[in-house]
Amino acid sequence: MRFYKLCLLVLVFSFLVSTVALAEEIPSQEEVMEIKKLRLSKTEKEKVRFFYLLGGAGYACYNPILSYGCVDRRYKDYVDGFAVSLLGGWQVNKYFAMEAGVDYIQVEYISLNFKYTILAQPYIEIDKSWSIMPKVGVGFLILGVLSQVVESEYATQPVGFDVYGVIGLRANYKKFMFGLSYEHNLFGQTNTFMALTEVGVKF
């Protein structure tokens, strides 16, 4: 009988000790809420996804034969002009983005370019207000010639298709965006490049 009572006492004591230890390990409701807030904050900080709208304006150049003729002024066939751009973009994640937009370009001819670009555009956060976004990408466009500006011996089709490369750097201050962009034709109907300044907002 004494042995039975001793075993029962040991079991009761073990149960009480394990219950107290378990109660100490279970976090309070306030601690649970704080843990959830920290996890949510960390997830939101790591998650980068937003839309943006940018307007741009700058210098454009056209050369019918050599794409680098705009840079090397020994080639006399180049024509200087200007470009105005409107872009809508989607930062897919912290590293990549997609853009669609339209350019109004006046060089040898006046044209509208409807284009789509895929970018490697890492989002680098500096502090709570500032971040930078270097970019490099490739895109394609459908070009519609509206009118001829300069007489030329080279025939230009009213509708064309071009592939281009683009590099640049953008900065964000809170909801505002601004930056520089350089775009160069790779192959297609035209041999052009554009250097634009950009301003806009993100959503």
Side-chain angles (χ1 to χ4, degrees):
M1 183 65 68
R2 289 180 181 178
F3 179 75
Y4 170 76
K5 289 181 179 181
L6 180 60
C7 291
L8 184 60
L9 184 61
V10 170
L11 287 174
V12 171
F13 179 76
S14 300
F15 175 76
L16 291 174
V17 170
S18 61
T19 303
V20 171
L22 184 62
E24 289 179 352
E25 291 177 0
I26 296 175
S28 65
Q29 187 173 359
E30 290 79 7
E31 290 174 332
V32 171
M33 293 299 294
E34 189 66 26
I35 291 170
K36 288 183 178 180
K37 286 181 181 179
L38 289 173
R39 287 178 179 174
L40 182 61
S41 176
K42 184 178 179 182
T43 301
E44 290 178 348
K45 186 176 180 181
E46 293 176 350
K47 182 180 178 182
V48 175
R49 185 174 296 177
F50 56 85
F51 291 95
Y52 55 89
L53 184 65
L54 290 169
Y59 173 76
C61 183
Y62 169 82
N63 187 285
I65 302 176
L66 300 168
S67 59
Y68 54 82
C70 292
V71 179
D72 191 337
R73 295 294 165 151
R74 293 176 299 175
Y75 298 91
K76 301 301 182 182
D77 287 330
Y78 66 85
V79 179
D80 294 316
F82 71 92
V84 179
S85 176
L86 182 64
L87 290 174
W90 180 35
Q91 187 74 25
V92 180
N93 55 37
K94 198 172 181 178
Y95 303 101
F96 297 99
M98 298 183 293
E99 292 179 348
V102 59
D103 298 329
Y104 173 89
I105 302 178
Q106 182 172 319
V107 280
E108 185 185 37
Y109 46 81
I110 297 174
S111 67
L112 283 179
N113 298 344
F114 299 92
K115 60 186 186 180
Y116 176 79
T117 315
I118 299 175
L119 296 170
Q121 183 169 260
Y123 182 88
I124 304 170
E125 189 173 355
I126 299 174
D127 56 32
K128 291 183 178 180
S129 298
W130 285 94
S131 60
I132 59 172
M133 298 158 59
K135 68 170 183 174
V136 59
V138 64
F140 64 89
L141 63 84
I142 297 174
L143 176 148
V145 176
L146 302 180
S147 64
Q148 194 85 10
V149 176
V150 179
E151 292 297 328
S152 174
E153 59 180 304
Y154 303 100
T156 301
Q157 301 298 322
V159 178
F161 173 84
D162 282 354
V163 176
Y164 58 90
V166 59
I167 60 173
L169 177 65
R170 291 166 175 163
N172 302 299
Y173 176 71
K174 296 182 180 180
K175 293 294 183 179
F176 297 98
M177 296 181 66
F178 50 91
L180 298 171
S181 182
Y182 174 82
E183 182 179 306
H184 202 297
N185 168 259
L186 299 176
F187 60 87
Q189 179 173 321
T190 62
N191 289 314
T192 61
F193 80 74
M194 299 190 300
L196 304 176
T197 58
E198 300 173 325
V199 293
V201 293
K202 64 179 184 179
F203 306 95

